[in-house]
Amino acid sequence: MIILVNKGGVDHELVIGAEKEIIAHAKEMANPNTKGHHHTNEISAKPGQQAELVWTFKKPRQYVMACFEPGHYEAGMKGVINIVAQKH
Ligand SMILES: [Cu+2]
């Protein structure tokens, strides 16, 4: 489980997935013709609040978590999660 704690003064979100996919989704959401919709791979928190996301990493690969509030991703609000296969 991932807990997003917003200690800042503006809204933030956390979207998780393969980088290409979440960037494509961010562009889609930035289009004013797109009706708001919610995905299971994203949570958001207002200032002083927190949100929880339960996420299962299905395969070993690199995932990215990022915030797509306007300008945030561009400002570097992202992190990389490397999932590696378990060795037996
Ligand atoms: Cu943000």
Side-chain angles (χ1 to χ4, degrees):
M1 182 167 74
I2 293 166
I3 303 175
L4 172 68
V5 181
N6 187 349
K7 293 181 177 174
V10 295
D11 290 9
H12 292 292
E13 64 177 10
L14 187 151
V15 184
I16 196 165
E19 190 164 29
K20 270 186 197 165
E21 290 162 18
I22 65 175
I23 288 171
H25 175 244
K27 283 184 182 155
E28 184 191 334
M29 293 307 286
N31 182 334
N33 296 320
T34 303
K35 291 210 172 71
H37 56 281
H38 197 77
H39 291 269
T40 55
N41 66 333
E42 62 184 67
I43 48 176
S44 58
K46 295 195 177 306
Q49 295 188 341
Q50 68 178 54
E52 295 172 357
L53 176 69
V54 175
W55 178 262
T56 303
F57 294 98
K58 293 195 182 87
K59 50 183 172 177
R61 66 185 289 183
Q62 188 177 87
Y63 292 83
V64 164
M65 55 183 173
C67 177
F68 290 102
E69 287 293 328
H72 291 201
Y73 180 80
E74 292 76 5
M77 206 173 287
K78 69 167 184 172
V80 170
I81 302 169
N82 279 312
I83 302 298
V84 293
Q86 192 175 7
K87 290 194 180 80
H88 292 281

